[in-house]
Amino acid sequence: MIRIQILEGKAFVWNYADARQIREEHRIVGTLVGALARKPRQNVWLGLPLQLLPEEAQLLVERGLAILFKKPASQHLGRDPDQNLSSSPEKVAAYQKGLEESYREQLQLAAEQRRAVLGTLAQRIAQGRAKKRRQKGEEGDPPPNPADLEPSFVLPQESMMVQLPTERAHPGQEEVVDWRLPSQDWPYAGQEDHEMRCCIFRNLWERGYYITSGGKFGGDFLVYPGDPMRFHAHYIALCIPKDAPLSLQDVVSAGRLGTNVKKTVLLCSVDQDGTAIYTSLQWTGMQ
């Protein structure tokens, strides 16, 4: 079961396996919003957590693929008082032992890799040394393999790799969030605009499309024929209530926007019986 944490009305996935399953098996893309541990000051390449749109999270829950949960308010301020074991001597000793074992393993692997590199360069190094000896007029047996003369390799402990966990080993107390009832944690339930967007998102998803947020192109969703890592979006979806007035200026603006970015604009509405209705806008002559 995929676990989605709700924090201030936003949905986050912290587990790497869940994030991967969401994309590969269920065609839910989301947005990575976390900083990378090795490059925390850049914002080009991001990592966990994976933030989901409300429509994405609700679709997964409706299908029985995920659950929504939240932490009690007391846990947002610090450590869970019921788990006062994080600084116990046993855990500290176990952590130090794990670091030592990891260091010894990395030291052995680094030494073997260095010997392998020297072994591949042995012939070139021997030729260079022989050339220098001939230039100096020296004679005698050639020097041994440089890998055999390599002193014991030392890997500074501050240079060792340390594994950074992306989730807590002891998650502590959790409360299930009911997506069917409006609350401070999930305020979307019962909102007409949200229900309309969910219906359209669900219908497009069932047709096999990948859907992401369309804010960067002035729409509600961007619709892709395949994974966004491999395809450009074909449609910009604008969710509009069926009986809502739409000015000619808005129609022209949407059509020109779609033409400029080489995408078809979809005006999406929901009928009274819950059927999704689509109207496409495309400038004449656009290929």
Side-chain angles (χ1 to χ4, degrees):
M1 184 69 69
I2 298 169
R3 297 165 51 79
I4 303 176
Q5 181 181 5
I6 303 301
L7 181 62
E8 298 182 355
K10 299 179 181 179
F12 298 95
V13 176
W14 293 88
N15 184 276
Y16 163 74
D18 289 346
R20 182 173 181 176
Q21 180 184 0
I22 285 173
R23 189 180 189 110
E24 294 183 352
E25 299 183 14
H26 307 306
R27 291 183 285 105
I28 299 297
V29 180
T31 305
L32 293 171
V33 295
L36 297 179
R38 290 186 176 273
K39 297 181 179 179
R41 293 181 178 84
Q42 58 83 41
N43 58 359
V44 178
W45 302 101
L46 299 177
L48 294 175
L50 180 73
Q51 182 175 348
L52 302 179
L53 295 173
E55 296 78 18
E56 293 175 324
Q58 182 165 326
L59 176 66
L60 292 172
V61 177
E62 288 177 347
R63 299 279 168 165
L65 303 171
I67 60 170
L68 305 181
F69 74 93
K70 68 173 183 177
K71 297 287 185 180
S74 60
Q75 293 192 35
H76 293 313
L77 302 178
R79 187 177 57 194
D80 185 0
D82 295 335
Q83 296 189 22
N84 192 21
L85 301 176
S86 58
S87 60
S88 62
E90 295 80 5
K91 288 189 173 292
V92 172
Y95 177 74
Q96 294 295 340
K97 182 179 179 181
L99 286 180
E100 294 175 0
E101 293 177 353
S102 177
Y103 173 71
R104 288 195 296 268
E105 182 179 357
Q106 293 184 43
L107 176 61
Q108 180 181 357
L109 292 175
E112 292 176 356
Q113 183 178 11
R114 182 176 178 84
R115 290 180 62 87
V117 172
L118 290 176
T120 58
L121 300 176
Q123 184 177 0
R124 185 181 302 177
I125 294 174
Q127 292 175 353
R129 290 179 176 177
K131 182 178 179 180
K132 291 182 179 179
R133 292 173 63 252
R134 288 194 300 267
Q135 292 175 352
K136 295 179 180 181
E138 298 178 358
E139 297 182 358
D141 297 333
N145 191 322
D148 298 333
L149 297 178
E150 178 68 13
S152 57
F153 179 75
V154 177
L155 174 68
Q157 285 194 341
E158 58 269 17
S159 300
M160 67 176 289
M161 293 185 292
V162 179
Q163 181 179 4
L164 299 177
T166 58
E167 61 178 342
R168 296 177 59 183
H170 303 283
Q173 297 180 358
E174 298 176 351
E175 299 178 5
V176 176
V177 176
D178 191 348
W179 59 274
R180 293 178 290 264
L181 300 176
S183 64
Q184 184 177 359
D185 302 294
W186 190 257
Y188 313 104
Q191 296 182 2
E192 293 184 4
D193 290 345
H194 172 71
E195 297 301 331
M196 176 185 62
R197 287 163 57 94
C198 280
C199 178
I200 294 170
F201 185 95
R202 186 187 311 109
N203 185 267
L204 291 172
W205 181 83
E206 290 175 347
R207 293 169 181 259
Y209 291 108
Y210 284 73
I211 307 106
T212 67
S213 173
K216 62 182 178 181
F217 287 121
D220 292 288
F221 304 117
L222 291 179
V223 185
Y224 297 79
D227 193 301
M229 294 293 290
R230 301 178 57 191
F231 296 89
H232 289 289
H234 283 190
Y235 305 103
I236 303 174
L238 298 176
C239 300
I240 303 172
K242 180 181 177 182
D243 299 327
L246 188 63
S247 66
L248 181 60
Q249 182 179 359
D250 293 336
V251 175
V252 173
S253 299
R256 292 189 64 180
L257 172 62
T259 302
N260 289 337
V261 295
K262 298 182 179 180
K263 304 183 192 315
T264 299
V265 175
L266 291 180
L267 301 181
C268 311
S269 303
V270 178
D271 206 348
Q272 295 180 352
D273 59 356
T275 303
I277 304 174
Y278 303 101
T279 302
S280 62
L281 295 180
Q282 196 172 43
W283 253 215
T284 302
M286 177 182 173
Q287 299 299 327

